[in-house]
Amino acid sequence: MANVVASITDEYDVNWNQKLGTGISGPVRVATKRSTGENFAIKVVLDRPKARQEVQMHWMCSGHPQVVSLFEVFRNELQFPGESESQCRLLLVLELMDGGELFYRISKQHGFTERHAAATTMQIALAVRHLHSMNIAHRDLKPENLLYKNSSEESPIKLCDFGFAKHDNGDLMTPQFTPYYVSPQVLEAQRRHRRDRTSVATSTPYTYDKSCDMWSLGVIIYILLCGYPPFYSEHPTSRRAIDRSMRRKIMSGTYQFADREWGRVSNRAKDVVKKLLCVDPHERMTIEELVQHPWLTEEAPDTLLQSPVYMSNKANMQETALLHDGHLKKMRIPDRPTNLKPIESAINPILCKRKEISRQGGIHFTAHEAPIVDHPSAKSLRDVIAKCMYPKREIDNPQAEVETAIQVAVKENSENKVLTQILEENSWNGDKFDTDVELMDLAHQFKTILESLSTTKLYMYAKE
């Protein structure tokens, strides 16, 4: 399948400085084919068994109208800036999708209706049906992996990124997921996986199947109709992290149809969501049942939805990330005093929740306009954030550098429950992570730990 002889630069002009985005396993760049002048997307991944499996899965699924096409694969030695030597990489030549991600595109629409949501769902469902007909589970259905071909209103939506895709032979065990869209069965697989790492496995290995895709599709449809996810954390740490409250909601299938957003949504649409967000995978709607459901086969109501308004926060993510980056740079300065607003004027969900609980318990709060000095162990946490954000360029494995910093932070924060929870969610084994982690996300999570230290100190200071 891969062209191991030719160099991709013999046939394509690749813009190595322009990144369209980054998938599970590697960045995506733009290239122009010299013979035709046509533009393509080039995904670059290290040549490893996992990457070869991704190529195989994508190659099998390519060719369907709702799947991003994979045209050819090169196997070349490449050396990028900051690397000490060249490495063997696979370069996937993909159909260029420059119409934007699903939710970003919808956030920009005026007049998005339930009929539009149904039409959008049908396109996604056809892609999933194509995969499931070949007994392939995608395992990472989410809006970032659903792209528009171009900016026209008639542009098709296509499924991409097969980094987690695998044949469903009844042996799916690996807990691969994105939190908002993960099914109860995959979370259970994660729980068993952690348990078996620390004890001798005595029972039959726990497995799940491609019905996990149907749950994820149910979450996407829910968001299409109202603009926010059905399951979310009451105390969010990161978009990749799941706390106990969120896990409990997913495992029990606890969500709501709030009247404000769902009052005008049709019963047929709600029926689809209910049958997809079914905890029991044997009772969950299959892809064939979905594409034959009346909500998709008959004309859906032309009711205006509020979802684009809520999705606009996703569209402003770049601005938010830049602001967040500024905050992280400030955290790198050791022993920096933190000035907090008075409790009664601070708009902070954690403080508001604690304030309400305290009121119920008869505890009185008073405002104090006083600076709160740093917690003694804050510096080690800031060091972790700094190494996540600004790893040394000459280091081949930035994650190892971060892991060393975390070992120090753990010693100085051994009783911090937020830190323990975050490390557990990222598969920390006491010395290092068992899997690759997103360092930017980890930095965001450690920022939450710093905030929890400040919040705790403020709480103790204000309680009389």
Side-chain angles (χ1 to χ4, degrees):
M1 185 189 305
N3 190 333
V4 298
V5 178
S7 168
I8 192 170
T9 55
D10 293 338
E11 300 182 32
Y12 295 87
D13 291 321
V14 183
N15 188 342
W16 299 107
N17 297 319
Q18 181 184 356
K19 291 185 181 180
L20 288 175
T22 302
I24 295 170
S25 48
V28 179
R29 294 175 169 85
V30 180
T32 303
K33 191 166 186 175
R34 291 198 183 97
S35 60
T36 64
E38 187 179 0
N39 290 329
F40 294 87
I42 306 294
K43 183 172 182 177
V44 184
V45 296
L46 287 172
D47 185 8
R48 295 173 177 172
K50 186 177 179 180
R52 293 196 171 209
Q53 177 178 289
E54 175 183 353
V55 171
Q56 182 184 19
M57 293 293 101
H58 199 156
W59 189 265
M60 291 180 62
C61 298
S62 183
H64 187 274
Q66 260 61 59
V67 175
V68 173
S69 295
L70 171 61
F71 296 105
E72 55 184 328
V73 182
F74 290 81
R75 182 173 178 267
N76 293 164
E77 291 277 341
L78 294 176
Q79 182 176 354
F80 287 118
E83 295 181 346
S84 58
E85 58 184 17
S86 63
Q87 299 187 70
C88 189
R89 288 178 164 89
L90 300 178
L91 298 98
L92 288 63
V93 181
L94 302 166
E95 178 181 10
L96 182 62
M97 306 291 292
D98 55 4
E101 296 175 2
L102 175 63
F103 286 174
Y104 179 86
R105 178 76 167 262
I106 291 176
S107 73
K108 297 297 184 181
Q109 289 188 24
H110 299 287
F112 185 72
T113 67
E114 184 178 323
R115 189 174 300 171
H116 291 137
T120 300
T121 298
M122 178 59 95
Q123 291 192 65
I124 303 170
L126 291 175
V128 175
R129 184 171 72 168
H130 177 60
L131 269 64
H132 286 196
S133 69
M134 295 184 289
N135 210 30
I136 293 175
H138 187 273
R139 300 200 295 174
D140 198 27
L141 284 181
K142 58 184 180 180
E144 292 88 343
N145 289 337
L146 295 163
L147 308 176
Y148 284 87
K149 173 66 177 175
N150 51 54
S151 59
S152 71
E153 292 185 3
E154 297 77 24
S155 171
I157 303 169
K158 301 194 179 191
L159 178 63
C160 70
D161 207 331
F162 289 75
F164 286 164
K166 190 176 181 181
H167 274 295
D168 178 10
N169 296 318
D171 59 349
L172 300 180
M173 293 185 293
T174 311
Q176 311 278 29
F177 62 86
T178 301
Y180 283 138
Y181 311 95
V182 61
S183 74
Q185 288 67 46
V186 177
L187 282 183
E188 178 62 18
Q190 181 193 53
R191 188 186 72 83
R192 303 281 187 100
H193 182 69
R194 288 173 175 170
R195 183 196 66 185
D196 293 343
R197 283 207 318 260
T198 57
S199 62
V200 178
T202 58
S203 59
T204 304
Y206 180 84
T207 61
Y208 59 93
D209 60 24
K210 57 183 176 292
S211 65
C212 65
D213 287 342
M214 301 310 296
W215 176 280
S216 301
L217 187 48
V219 174
I220 292 171
I221 296 169
Y222 184 102
I223 302 174
L224 282 175
L225 292 168
C226 72
Y228 53 83
F231 311 102
Y232 50 87
S233 172
E234 294 175 0
H235 308 284
T237 56
S238 164
R239 65 185 177 89
R240 290 185 178 272
I242 297 181
D243 68 4
R244 291 181 180 178
S245 65
M246 184 173 174
R247 182 181 297 271
R248 186 167 57 249
K249 291 174 185 175
I250 294 173
M251 296 301 290
S252 62
T254 303
Y255 61 94
Q256 296 179 339
F257 290 132
D259 189 64
R260 177 180 176 182
E261 293 82 26
W262 291 88
R264 299 181 64 194
V265 175
S266 72
N267 289 331
R268 284 180 173 176
K270 294 176 183 176
D271 184 63
V272 166
V273 172
K274 290 176 184 177
K275 290 178 177 177
L276 289 173
L277 298 182
C278 177
V279 173
D280 186 345
H282 301 101
E283 299 294 328
R284 194 175 301 152
M285 181 186 285
T286 66
I287 191 60
E288 289 299 333
E289 291 170 338
L290 175 59
V291 296
Q292 295 174 28
H293 193 280
W295 187 58
L296 298 184
T297 58
E298 300 176 15
E299 193 169 66
D302 201 23
T303 307
L304 195 65
L305 299 175
Q306 300 184 45
S307 43
V309 177
Y310 291 99
M311 290 179 186
S312 63
N313 289 331
K314 169 72 173 177
N316 294 329
M317 186 174 291
Q318 184 176 5
E319 180 180 346
T320 304
L322 290 173
L323 180 62
H324 175 60
D325 179 59
H327 289 318
L328 289 177
K329 288 178 181 178
K330 291 180 180 178
M331 287 182 197
R332 299 185 69 212
I333 304 174
D335 303 323
R336 184 183 182 90
T338 304
N339 295 308
L340 299 178
K341 295 180 181 179
I343 291 177
E344 293 179 356
S345 64
I347 304 175
N348 184 307
I350 299 175
L351 289 178
C352 291
K353 186 70 173 177
R354 285 180 170 173
K355 186 175 180 180
E356 181 64 27
I357 294 173
S358 299
R359 280 176 175 168
Q360 294 173 3
I363 300 174
H364 177 66
F365 282 81
T366 57
H368 294 271
E369 187 74 37
I372 305 298
V373 297
D374 276 340
H375 193 283
S377 60
K379 183 178 182 301
S380 63
L381 298 172
R382 283 198 300 268
D383 287 344
V384 174
I385 294 172
K387 292 184 184 300
C388 287
M389 298 289 294
Y390 307 102
K392 296 179 180 178
R393 293 184 61 87
E394 66 271 13
I395 292 183
D396 293 330
N397 188 1
Q399 182 167 310
E401 182 186 24
V402 172
E403 289 167 345
T404 301
I406 290 177
Q407 292 170 9
V408 176
V410 168
K411 291 180 181 179
E412 296 186 9
N413 297 269
S414 58
E415 297 182 359
N416 190 304
K417 294 181 179 179
V418 180
L419 172 61
T420 301
Q421 178 184 329
I422 287 174
L423 291 177
E424 181 179 310
E425 290 168 348
N426 285 282
S427 301
W428 177 259
N429 64 18
D431 295 310
K432 61 181 182 179
F433 296 107
D434 288 334
T435 60
D436 292 339
V437 296
E438 291 286 345
L439 296 185
M440 291 294 289
D441 282 348
L442 193 64
H444 181 84
Q445 294 177 63
F446 268 72
K447 176 179 178 289
T448 305
I449 303 172
L450 282 173
E451 291 172 343
S452 72
L453 291 176
S454 298
T455 301
T456 302
K457 192 156 188 176
L458 179 58
Y459 176 76
M460 295 172 62
Y461 181 76
K463 182 178 176 183
E464 292 186 339

